[in-house]
Amino acid sequence: MSKSEVIPADIKRLDAEDPLAEKRAEFYLPPSVVYLDGNSLGPMPIAARARARSVVEREWADDLITSWNVNRWIELPTIVGDKIGRLIGADSGKVICGDSTSVNLFKVLAAALSLQPKRFKVLSQRGNFPTDLYMVQGLAALLGESRCQLLTASADDLLDQLDESIAVLLLTQVDFRTGKIHDIRKITELAHEKGIVVIWDLAHSAGVIPLWLDDWQVDFAVGCGYKFLNGGPGAPAFLYVAKRHQGACQQPLSGWMGHRQPFEFSDDYHAHASVKQFLCGTPGVLGMSVLDAALSVFEGVQIQALRKKSLALIQLCRHLVSERPALSELQLLTPEEPEQSGSQLAYAHSEAYAICQALIARGVIADFRAPNILRLGFSPLFLRFEDIYLSVLALDEIVAERQYLSPRFQARQAVT
Amino acid sequence: MSKSEVIPADIKRLDAEDPLAEKRAEFYLPPSVVYLDGNSLGPMPIAARARARSVVEREWADDLITSWNVNRWIELPTIVGDKIGRLIGADSGKVICGDSTSVNLFKVLAAALSLQPKRFKVLSQRGNFPTDLYMVQGLAALLGESRCQLLTASADDLLDQLDESIAVLLLTQVDFRTGKIHDIRKITELAHEKGIVVIWDLAHSAGVIPLWLDDWQVDFAVGCGYKFLNGGPGAPAFLYVAKRHQGACQQPLSGWMGHRQPFEFSDDYHAHASVKQFLCGTPGVLGMSVLDAALSVFEGVQIQALRKKSLALIQLCRHLVSERPALSELQLLTPEEPEQSGSQLAYAHSEAYAICQALIARGVIADFRAPNILRLGFSPLFLRFEDIYLSVLALDEIVAERQYLSPRFQARQAVT
């Protein structure tokens, strides 16, 4: 990304007036890169680098096994869980950190079904992030269709399907392709009226959209540590369990860390009466420590302020794209109304893959989602308005000049 | 640990003649510490420190999302799996790395039961490591006793219980308390004669006991990355699946990484036909990279040589303990015959907890297992014979002088 382009004064003013502008200094960002993929893998907070060194080179190397006590490793799942809780409107004791989003989905799915002895249908959305559907399919294959059955509906038809035959509603708030969001408060309320237990996947929500899970009476939620929470590649995930369900539901991944007295080493499992009943094996201390440090960038920040900046970044991007005739080839998939979308824009184009590669070659890191989506993520903690300006300039040149037709941008990579 | 004690010439000679002596330099070990807890958390290999820095500070920080391709993050579960495979007698394509031992136990338990449509009993050992029993209990609670039922027997009675009613035999090779080992080859063969599918937990075996899982026709195995594999706190675990079962069994944690085409983002799960069907969510890249580097200390080492040194360390320890009258208070729980034990010694003593604390205060890090076990682990890659000598001297003083009665050694910590 060359900075030789002159940034217009009105763009410069947006950055000068940005109350979050100072947060950018808390991240390491490679020179000459505009990173529009913080929704897929957040960049490295400076504090995370320091913590990675200290957990490896001091806590592990010097303190060895004693770290479970002296460095409080044993408390990490709840310490980090509570920090995430503050970002999603959850009081202490509702959230734990650990495992992957997929594994956590399995736990909360089984737990939700355990609260519904007379129902067995799990309703989700067609085109939901695949792992959400796959985990229901895995549980259904294990339990049989008489105990767990996946139904899917389009976003438009979902609410019509909410009736007393549904046990569990499993939705992702932000559509990973289009960015369209669901109204958690409203849908949870409608589902509860029919006696349905609701699970929200907050993969693209946590850290960027104001959420009030306790107030909204959400039953269960899961989410990801490596997207807008910037916890590092494959960072541990999190899960939320409403207080009223803790101890009242059962989850089958009953590993020793979820036991009431894990260090008594008894032969019989007795679940912890708190959210700790959702712990399973030994926590991944390295990844969880790094996530813990990464969360420090949220200190002193209101999620509402993040949301406001996200929407301003998105609005600027859409405006700049709409001004450029060549970019009319791109079809906006994200809802027109800014409040209806998460912190991303999705454009369809038959050459989206190659356009994305051409952007990356120019230092604008976006991502591609099959079959034809160019996805731009807007992380308000570190992006500047000038980054958006420069990205649209690059995109305009790539599309106007058909640069994406170059064979080097057409060649497919393993992970796309 | 003071080194002012004079090391006897015969002990010095053992170290001088140790063909593995040079391996110690590949680890960082804190000064003045003798680390007899490598069976609980292995110490830091130097290569792991370097890799932790590079995965955080270069791969994540600079290469960001492109690392999935350029730094081969996407291949880590099979790259690391294959490296572990070489330590347990498994050809390429049998082992994957990921999740925790507990989560992996759930996968292989369900998979083993999926191969046994007419049987439902899971036989394990009373006093097995708790999470092994708890994961069966979790699956049984989910499926109901008509589809999964846990039976336990004492080590002595186990083989008598092997009959055609048993679906799955789940055993840990090395007893975490006593160190007593099972003969995997023999028991697997006996179980197979009765049509029983066998799962071995190799938590205290991998990296220290010669294993030939392929040759022994083992069905499934799981194990731990942070003990004798030195992968760091909460390192990802591994699992082994015999070729004949891959694609033929079902496992319910069917996350997107186990899909045949994860990046097609289709709504329907189709399991990968290889061991990858046991992958679930996004791998924990930081922890797995560190484990990958840690495994480099095994390069050029024969597991048989490690076993030989382990047994020599154990033999020396037992001999030195038996020579000291005060230490007759300690009751050896580990089998007399060295070949019958893993790489640890267990001594029972009513004050084992305080004795362990007193040892730690003197720089000899051992561990305590409830209710009354002092456990000493012998990691042959970095321990010297003189370490054993100095440890027994310290133990002798602590016991002979009743130092463990001090209140500072009696006070309990959170993790014991």
Side-chain angles (χ1 to χ4, degrees):
Chain A
M1 196 72 230
S2 159
K3 296 246 320 196
S4 60
E5 285 84 355
V6 176
I7 308 292
D10 55 337
I11 304 287
K12 280 189 173 169
R13 196 174 52 246
L14 289 171
D15 280 317
E17 293 172 354
D18 172 14
L20 292 169
E22 286 181 7
K23 280 281 157 189
R24 181 175 170 89
E26 295 184 32
F27 290 85
Y28 169 85
L29 293 159
S32 307
V33 158
V34 172
Y35 195 57
L36 300 182
D37 214 357
N39 54 331
S40 200
L41 172 65
M44 187 189 73
I46 307 290
R49 177 174 61 198
R51 181 70 170 272
R53 286 193 181 197
S54 75
V55 68
V56 171
E57 302 178 20
R58 188 180 58 76
E59 297 181 15
W60 176 21
D62 280 320
D63 299 336
L64 290 161
I65 193 74
T66 65
S67 283
W68 287 103
N69 290 308
V70 300
N71 295 310
R72 300 175 68 192
W73 286 351
I74 197 69
E75 296 171 56
L76 272 175
T78 47
I79 291 172
V80 180
D82 281 347
K83 284 189 187 176
I84 295 169
R86 288 197 282 277
L87 303 177
I88 60 176
D91 272 355
S92 175
K94 311 281 177 60
V95 181
I96 52 155
C97 180
D99 293 317
S100 65
T101 308
S102 300
V103 168
N104 287 338
L105 274 164
F106 192 84
K107 295 177 197 167
V108 298
L109 270 166
L113 283 170
S114 79
L115 294 168
Q116 299 278 48
K118 295 186 178 165
R119 304 186 190 187
F120 59 90
K121 292 179 186 168
V122 178
L123 177 64
S124 192
Q125 186 174 333
R126 206 167 300 138
N128 195 349
F129 188 75
T131 219
D132 296 66
L133 303 178
Y134 298 166
M135 296 313 292
V136 186
Q137 290 167 20
L139 185 61
L142 180 68
L143 291 179
E145 291 248 314
S146 66
R147 291 196 46 210
C148 177
Q149 188 185 338
L150 174 64
L151 307 178
T152 57
S154 69
D156 293 338
D157 294 338
L158 266 173
L159 299 188
D160 292 339
Q161 306 288 319
L162 297 178
D163 64 32
E164 275 83 1
S165 78
I166 307 293
V168 178
L169 176 65
L170 167 63
L171 291 176
T172 302
Q173 186 190 21
V174 179
D175 185 298
F176 80 106
R177 291 187 179 90
T178 66
K180 187 175 179 185
I181 66 173
H182 285 300
D183 183 334
I184 293 184
R185 191 197 55 74
K186 184 184 102 183
I187 294 177
T188 301
E189 200 175 301
L190 287 172
H192 283 178
E193 284 170 11
K194 307 291 183 180
I196 298 166
V197 176
V198 187
I199 301 171
W200 286 100
D201 181 341
L202 306 174
H204 291 269
S205 309
V208 77
I209 294 180
L211 298 169
W212 308 103
L213 298 199
D214 284 350
D215 289 349
W216 295 339
Q217 302 275 308
V218 165
D219 298 288
F220 299 94
V222 298
C224 175
Y226 54 80
K227 296 178 185 288
F228 291 109
L229 300 184
N230 312 302
F238 67 86
L239 62 78
Y240 167 94
V241 182
K243 193 80 188 166
R244 65 190 177 279
H245 298 321
Q246 295 177 17
C249 60
Q250 280 194 298
Q251 74 89 5
L253 300 185
S254 48
W256 68 310
M257 286 291 161
H259 193 276
R260 207 179 290 168
Q261 298 281 359
F263 294 95
E264 288 205 343
F265 297 102
S266 70
D267 277 7
D268 293 312
Y269 184 75
H270 296 288
H272 206 282
S274 76
V275 71
K276 286 185 183 174
Q277 81 173 109
F278 284 80
L279 296 175
C280 185
T282 303
V285 169
L286 301 187
M288 211 177 294
S289 297
V290 168
L291 171 57
D292 184 43
L295 291 169
S296 66
V297 300
F298 288 95
E299 282 168 19
V301 175
Q302 295 290 319
I303 298 284
Q304 294 90 331
L306 293 174
R307 177 68 170 161
K308 190 175 168 193
K309 181 173 170 189
S310 273
L311 295 181
L313 291 166
I314 288 173
Q315 198 166 12
L316 175 65
C317 186
R318 285 186 48 195
H319 172 70
L320 294 172
V321 167
S322 69
E323 279 186 338
R324 283 160 176 74
L327 297 182
S328 63
E329 286 182 21
L330 297 168
Q331 181 203 345
L332 183 67
L333 300 179
T334 311
E336 293 282 335
E337 171 57 56
E339 292 292 339
Q340 297 286 315
S341 74
S343 205
Q344 68 178 71
L345 285 175
Y347 289 100
H349 189 286
S350 58
E351 294 288 345
Y353 178 79
I355 292 171
C356 184
Q357 293 301 310
L359 278 169
I360 292 170
R362 294 180 63 144
V364 178
I365 316 242
D367 73 14
F368 163 78
R369 282 293 171 260
N372 66 343
I373 298 175
L374 176 67
R375 197 174 67 161
L376 310 175
F378 298 86
S379 258
L381 280 166
F382 59 85
L383 283 176
R384 296 168 301 199
F385 291 90
E386 73 165 62
D387 294 327
I388 308 307
Y389 177 77
L390 294 170
S391 302
V392 177
L393 282 197
L395 181 61
D396 190 33
E397 278 183 32
I398 289 164
V399 175
E401 299 172 11
R402 300 277 186 271
Q403 292 175 6
Y404 53 77
L405 294 177
S406 161
R408 63 187 271 244
F409 302 138
Q410 298 273 336
R412 294 282 172 140
Q413 309 224 28
V415 180
T416 53
Chain B
M1 195 74 228
S2 159
K3 297 249 319 201
S4 60
E5 285 84 355
V6 177
I7 308 292
D10 55 337
I11 304 287
K12 281 189 171 169
R13 196 173 53 247
L14 289 171
D15 279 318
E17 293 172 354
D18 173 12
L20 292 169
E22 285 180 6
K23 281 280 157 187
R24 180 175 172 89
E26 294 184 31
F27 290 85
Y28 169 85
L29 293 157
S32 307
V33 158
V34 171
Y35 195 57
L36 300 182
D37 214 357
N39 55 329
S40 199
L41 172 66
M44 186 189 72
I46 306 290
R49 178 173 59 198
R51 181 69 170 271
R53 286 195 180 196
S54 75
V55 69
V56 171
E57 302 178 20
R58 188 179 59 76
E59 297 181 15
W60 177 20
D62 279 320
D63 299 336
L64 291 161
I65 193 74
T66 65
S67 283
W68 287 103
N69 289 308
V70 300
N71 295 309
R72 300 174 70 192
W73 287 351
I74 197 68
E75 296 172 57
L76 273 175
T78 47
I79 290 172
V80 180
D82 281 348
K83 283 189 188 176
I84 295 169
R86 288 197 281 279
L87 303 177
I88 61 176
D91 271 355
S92 175
K94 311 283 177 61
V95 180
I96 52 156
C97 180
D99 294 318
S100 65
T101 308
S102 299
V103 168
N104 287 338
L105 274 164
F106 192 84
K107 297 177 198 167
V108 298
L109 270 166
L113 283 170
S114 80
L115 295 168
Q116 299 278 48
K118 296 186 176 165
R119 304 186 190 187
F120 59 90
K121 292 179 186 169
V122 178
L123 177 64
S124 192
Q125 186 174 333
R126 206 168 298 141
N128 195 349
F129 188 75
T131 219
D132 296 66
L133 303 177
Y134 298 166
M135 295 313 292
V136 186
Q137 289 166 20
L139 185 60
L142 180 68
L143 291 179
E145 290 247 315
S146 66
R147 291 194 47 208
C148 177
Q149 187 185 340
L150 174 64
L151 307 177
T152 57
S154 69
D156 293 339
D157 294 337
L158 267 172
L159 299 188
D160 292 338
Q161 306 288 320
L162 296 178
D163 63 34
E164 275 83 1
S165 79
I166 306 293
V168 178
L169 176 65
L170 167 63
L171 292 176
T172 302
Q173 187 190 21
V174 179
D175 185 299
F176 80 105
R177 291 188 179 89
T178 65
K180 187 175 179 184
I181 66 172
H182 285 300
D183 182 333
I184 293 184
R185 190 196 55 75
K186 184 184 103 184
I187 294 177
T188 301
E189 199 174 303
L190 287 173
H192 283 178
E193 283 170 14
K194 307 290 182 181
I196 298 166
V197 176
V198 187
I199 300 170
W200 286 101
D201 181 340
L202 305 175
H204 290 269
S205 308
V208 77
I209 294 179
L211 298 168
W212 308 103
L213 299 198
D214 284 349
D215 289 349
W216 296 338
Q217 302 275 306
V218 164
D219 298 288
F220 299 95
V222 297
C224 175
Y226 54 79
K227 296 178 185 289
F228 290 109
L229 300 185
N230 312 302
F238 66 87
L239 62 77
Y240 167 95
V241 182
K243 193 81 188 163
R244 64 189 177 280
H245 298 321
Q246 294 176 17
C249 60
Q250 281 194 295
Q251 74 88 6
L253 299 185
S254 48
W256 68 310
M257 285 291 162
H259 193 276
R260 207 178 290 166
Q261 297 282 0
F263 294 95
E264 289 205 344
F265 298 102
S266 70
D267 278 7
D268 294 312
Y269 184 75
H270 295 289
H272 206 281
S274 75
V275 70
K276 287 185 181 173
Q277 81 173 110
F278 285 81
L279 296 175
C280 185
T282 303
V285 170
L286 301 188
M288 211 176 294
S289 297
V290 168
L291 171 57
D292 184 43
L295 291 169
S296 66
V297 300
F298 287 95
E299 281 167 19
V301 175
Q302 295 289 319
I303 297 285
Q304 294 89 333
L306 292 174
R307 178 67 170 162
K308 190 174 168 193
K309 181 173 170 189
S310 273
L311 294 181
L313 291 166
I314 288 173
Q315 197 165 14
L316 175 65
C317 186
R318 285 186 48 195
H319 172 70
L320 294 172
V321 167
S322 69
E323 279 184 339
R324 283 160 175 76
L327 297 182
S328 62
E329 286 183 19
L330 297 169
Q331 181 203 346
L332 183 67
L333 299 179
T334 311
E336 293 282 335
E337 172 57 57
E339 291 294 337
Q340 297 286 317
S341 74
S343 205
Q344 68 177 72
L345 284 174
Y347 289 100
H349 190 288
S350 59
E351 293 288 345
Y353 178 80
I355 291 171
C356 184
Q357 293 300 312
L359 277 170
I360 291 169
R362 295 180 62 143
V364 178
I365 316 240
D367 73 14
F368 163 78
R369 282 295 171 258
N372 65 346
I373 297 175
L374 176 67
R375 196 174 68 160
L376 311 175
F378 299 87
S379 258
L381 280 165
F382 60 85
L383 283 176
R384 296 168 301 200
F385 291 91
E386 73 166 62
D387 294 327
I388 308 306
Y389 176 78
L390 294 170
S391 302
V392 177
L393 282 197
L395 181 62
D396 190 34
E397 278 184 31
I398 289 163
V399 175
E401 298 171 12
R402 300 277 186 271
Q403 292 175 6
Y404 53 77
L405 294 176
S406 161
R408 63 187 272 241
F409 303 138
Q410 298 272 335
R412 293 283 171 140
Q413 309 223 26
V415 180
T416 53

